[in-house]
Amino acid sequence: MALSSTAQNRIVWGVRIFLALAMGAAGTAKLAGVPQMVEIFNHIGLGQWFRSFTGAVEVVGAVLLLVPATGLLGALWVGGTMVGAVATHLFVIEGSPVPAMVLGLLCAFVAYQLRPGQQRRAGVAAV
């Protein structure tokens, strides 16, 4: 049984809101200089400018996800950031890459649902 377009729209918006909250919180922690974030970026070795840059990228991605016209861009933006996060966890720092993988998969789901022409085919409202 297929989901109605209204149910599908609500699921996509729910995932977008979840991603925006997660990315907004992570980005804000980086921009605020939370000690754990400072330590992680010291370990990465690119300098604290990279922490600030990453935090800004995450906050911008969160905003893009919440704006109806830029949801696809936001999902791709944040998804690309999560690819970098997974690679960093695997090759540079210790820790599980699973949270970044889950967020990346959720971004892929949103991007797939918002791809050009999808709204017309599925009858999903743009807002």
Side-chain angles (χ1 to χ4, degrees):
M1 179 172 157
L3 289 175
S4 71
S5 61
T6 302
Q8 185 178 5
N9 191 33
R10 287 181 179 160
I11 290 168
V12 172
W13 267 106
V15 174
R16 287 170 74 171
I17 291 167
F18 171 77
L19 285 168
L21 289 171
M23 298 312 296
T28 300
K30 289 173 181 73
L31 291 172
V34 171
Q36 181 183 6
M37 293 293 123
V38 171
E39 183 180 326
I40 288 170
F41 280 83
N42 277 337
H43 188 69
I44 291 171
L46 293 177
Q48 292 304 307
W49 71 269
F50 190 59
R51 173 183 51 83
S52 297
F53 174 76
T54 304
V57 165
E58 290 173 345
V59 169
V60 168
V63 172
L64 291 171
L65 280 163
L66 294 176
V67 176
T70 60
L72 174 61
L73 176 60
L76 295 172
W77 181 283
V78 173
T81 304
M82 291 301 97
V83 169
V86 169
T88 301
H89 280 309
L90 290 175
F91 303 114
V92 181
I93 61 176
E94 296 175 7
S96 175
V98 173
M101 289 174 156
V102 170
L103 291 173
L105 288 172
L106 290 173
C107 288
F109 167 77
V110 170
Y112 180 78
Q113 292 298 318
L114 297 179
R115 70 193 185 278
Q118 176 60 15
Q119 287 84 5
R120 287 185 300 279
R121 283 192 298 275
V124 176
V127 245

